[in-house]
Amino acid sequence: MTVLLSTKEVASFLNVNEKMVYSLVAEKGLPATKITGKWVFPKHLVEQWIEANTINYPQSTHLNPDYDSLLIVTGSNDLLLNETISLFNKQYPDYIAVFGNLGSMGGLKMLRQKLCHIAASHLLQEDEQDYNFAFARNELESIPAVVNFSMREQGILISKGNPKKIKAVADLARKGIRIINRPVGTGTRLLLDHELRKAKISPDKVNGYEDEKTSHMDVGLRILAGKADAAPGIRIVAHLLGLDFLPLRWERFDLLIPKERFFDKPIQLFLGLLHDESFRNIYPPDCGYDLDSTGKVIFPTD
């Protein structure tokens, strides 16, 4: 169940006075909603807001992992990325790539702490026009190199035949519908929260909102097993499991790489794989991935 804080409680939580709370709502986007005329603050969104607005971090004394044959990828869960890592390990037996499923924000944190070589991220910015850069500016000392991995289609996974007649995000709040969610810090959770705000729906009105699974396939399997009616997820899962799919948007799924490690051999081998036919043929067309920009350097642009 979502924990809601009063104005007095959120002021105490943030260690500010109550008047400052209203300023933070108006000027800094502190997450809040009105219920019966009074401001309330979902605690989990306040915690996300604090994390997203943190700008000073202790300096790490560790170097990036420096094992010549090891490639560490962390961040957002993606089926095509999983298959690509397996393909890398098959094609380059003298190297090993490993993946940490930590969500997009988790990948940026590992990049900040110099505990990975590549972070996979698809964090939608508030302007809905770009991805990842605003979050990278908040989380990292400088913007890393950004390479597009793919465009992929995000939406709502739905039971086959759509027996609950789910036609829009607002329907997730209807009585008799239960969802499975993705964890806080994932780009998919961020997108769902964004769409719920646009629909003026409080998360505590959505049955199952707090029930989280760590991967796209996990939530799809829960729907397939009849444990839930819907879940935020990507089209490829619906394609593989035979579920229905309500599309929300195409998103840019990027690889963020420290500039000082960009030309390391394992990283270059991995990026080179994105242009290989063996990669391009992992999944058939029209299953939720667009590879037209795959391998393109988004930043720096010159």
Side-chain angles (χ1 to χ4, degrees), residues 72-74 104 107-108 111 116-123 131-133 135-137 140 142-149 252-259 262 267 271 299:
I72 301 175
V73 184
T74 66
S104 293
L108 292 183
L111 210 60
C116 69
H117 302 101
I118 298 175
S121 179
H122 61 110
L123 294 165
Y131 286 84
N132 300 318
F133 287 105
F135 295 90
R137 288 188 189 98
L140 307 172
S142 62
I143 301 295
V146 179
V147 178
N148 180 245
F149 179 74
R252 202 181 74 223
F253 189 93
D254 292 335
L255 305 176
L256 282 65
I257 305 165
K259 293 173 185 173
F262 187 81
I267 291 174
L271 295 180
F299 182 86

Side-chain angles (χ1 to χ4, degrees), residues 20-73:
M20 178 59 71
V21 170
Y22 299 118
S23 296
L24 291 174
V25 171
E27 299 173 11
K28 300 292 185 180
L30 178 65
T33 187
K34 278 191 175 181
I35 298 178
T36 63
K38 294 183 179 180
W39 285 107
V40 292
F41 305 82
K43 186 177 179 183
H44 71 285
L45 293 181
V46 172
E47 291 170 340
Q48 288 181 46
W49 176 83
I50 293 171
E51 190 168 288
N53 285 277
T54 301
I55 58 174
N56 292 319
Y57 298 93
Q59 292 282 341
S60 173
T61 58
H62 298 289
L63 296 174
N64 264 0
D66 201 25
Y67 305 104
D68 290 341
S69 60
L70 177 64
L71 178 63
I72 301 175
V73 184

Side-chain angles (χ1 to χ4, degrees), residues 20 36 39 66 105-106 125 133 145 156 162 167 177 179 192-193 198 201 210 220-221 240 255 268 275 294 298:
M20 178 59 71
T36 63
W39 285 107
D66 201 25
M105 286 301 300
Q125 297 179 181
F133 287 105
I156 305 297
N162 195 9
K167 302 294 185 182
I177 292 178
I179 76 163
L192 177 64
D193 289 345
K198 285 169 57 176
I201 294 174
E210 301 290 346
L221 289 171
L240 294 174
L255 305 176
Q268 286 299 303
H275 302 282
T294 295
I298 306 296

Side-chain angles (χ1 to χ4, degrees), residues 213-248:
K213 292 296 176 183
T214 58
S215 77
H216 285 285
M217 188 58 77
D218 284 343
V219 297
L221 289 171
R222 287 293 294 271
I223 296 171
L224 191 66
K227 304 294 184 180
D229 304 299
I234 51 179
R235 181 179 287 276
I236 183 62
V237 174
H239 172 82
L240 294 174
L241 297 182
L243 302 174
D244 280 11
F245 185 75
L246 174 67
L248 292 178

